Amino acid sequence: MDKKTKPLGRPRAAQGEVPLTQKIVMTAIRLFLSKGYESVSMDDVAKACEVTKASVYYYYPSKSDLLTASMIQLMENVRKVTLLRLSQPTSLRDRLLDITEAHLKAIDFDLHSFMRKMEATLSEEQMIAMRKSEQGILDALEVEFNKSAASGEIGPVDARVIARAYTSLLMMGHARDGSGNKMFPYESEAAKQIIDILWHGLFPPQ
C-alpha cells in the first residue's frame, strides 16, 4: 500500500504505561471538574496528556464523546469504591458514613446538577449511557438496603426509593451559601448530618 494512502493507525503507548484511552479519560475528568465543561477544549486535554490532539480525536471524535466516557468512568470508579466499602464487616450506618465522607472528599461537585446541565449538550444516547452508569451505584446501594432490612438492622423500606434519597442527600454535602462558602467546613461533619437525616427521617423506628 502506498504510504500516502495508508490509514492512520492506533496511537502507540510506551510499554508499561497506562493505556492512552485511560490516560485521556482520567485527565479529562480532572479538567472538566476543575474548569467546567465549556472551558475545556480537546487541545487542553491533549496538552495535559502530552499527546497530539489527533490522538485524542482518534479515540473520542468529539468533546461530548469524551465527556460521556469520562463521566461513565467516574461513576464506575464510584461504584467500585461503594461496593468495597459496603463489604466491610461493620454496621450499615457506619458503612454509609464511611462512603459518604469518602465521596465528599473525592468528588467536590454536585453530580446530579452537573448531569442535568449536560442534558442540553449531550445526545439522548449519551445521556442514557451516563444514566446507566449512575444506576450501577444505585443498584449496589439498593442490594445492601434490602439485605439490612431482611436482617432486621433497619425497618422495612422501599430500597429503590431509599437508594435515590441517599444519593440526593449526598449532594447536600457540596452545598454553598450565598457567599460561595461551603455549608459544611469538614466532610466528616457533612457526612454525619446527611446520615442522621437519612437514618432518623427516612428509616421507620424499630
Side-chain angles (χ1 to χ4, degrees), residues 23-42:
K23 184 177 182 180
I24 291 170
V25 164
M26 297 308 294
T27 300
I29 289 174
R30 175 174 55 80
L31 291 176
F32 286 143
L33 298 187
S34 63
K35 296 184 178 181
Y37 176 74
E38 294 82 0
S39 300
V40 177
S41 68
M42 296 290 266

Side-chain angles (χ1 to χ4, degrees), residues 69-124:
S70 299
M71 294 306 296
I72 288 173
Q73 182 63 60
L74 175 63
M75 286 185 277
E76 175 60 16
N77 292 346
V78 171
R79 187 188 71 85
K80 288 179 178 178
V81 170
T82 299
L83 284 171
L84 177 63
R85 292 176 184 271
L86 282 174
S87 69
Q88 300 305 306
T90 58
S91 69
L92 175 63
R93 184 185 179 113
D94 285 345
R95 283 177 284 158
L96 289 175
L97 276 168
D98 184 37
I99 291 168
T100 303
E101 185 173 351
H103 176 92
L104 295 176
K105 286 181 177 178
I107 304 176
D108 189 21
F109 79 111
D110 185 331
L111 179 59
H112 294 305
S113 296
F114 185 85
M115 287 183 64
R116 285 197 299 271
K117 186 177 180 181
M118 289 300 102
E119 286 181 357
T121 300
L122 303 180
S123 68
E124 181 61 25

Side-chain angles (χ1 to χ4, degrees), residues 99-167:
I99 291 168
T100 303
E101 185 173 351
H103 176 92
L104 295 176
K105 286 181 177 178
I107 304 176
D108 189 21
F109 79 111
D110 185 331
L111 179 59
H112 294 305
S113 296
F114 185 85
M115 287 183 64
R116 285 197 299 271
K117 186 177 180 181
M118 289 300 102
E119 286 181 357
T121 300
L122 303 180
S123 68
E124 181 61 25
E125 182 179 0
Q126 289 169 330
M127 286 302 303
I128 288 173
M130 286 174 59
R131 293 191 190 105
K132 184 176 180 180
S133 293
E134 183 185 24
Q135 187 61 46
I137 302 170
L138 293 167
D139 288 344
L141 292 165
E142 186 177 336
V143 167
E144 206 59 37
F145 288 138
N146 275 325
K147 285 182 181 178
S148 295
S151 70
E153 184 176 2
I154 61 174
V157 295
D158 184 328
R160 179 180 296 182
V161 171
I162 297 302
R164 288 194 172 274
Y166 168 67
T167 56

Side-chain angles (χ1 to χ4, degrees), residues 4 26 43 151 176:
K4 292 183 179 179
M26 297 308 294
D43 193 44
S151 70
R176 295 176 181 271

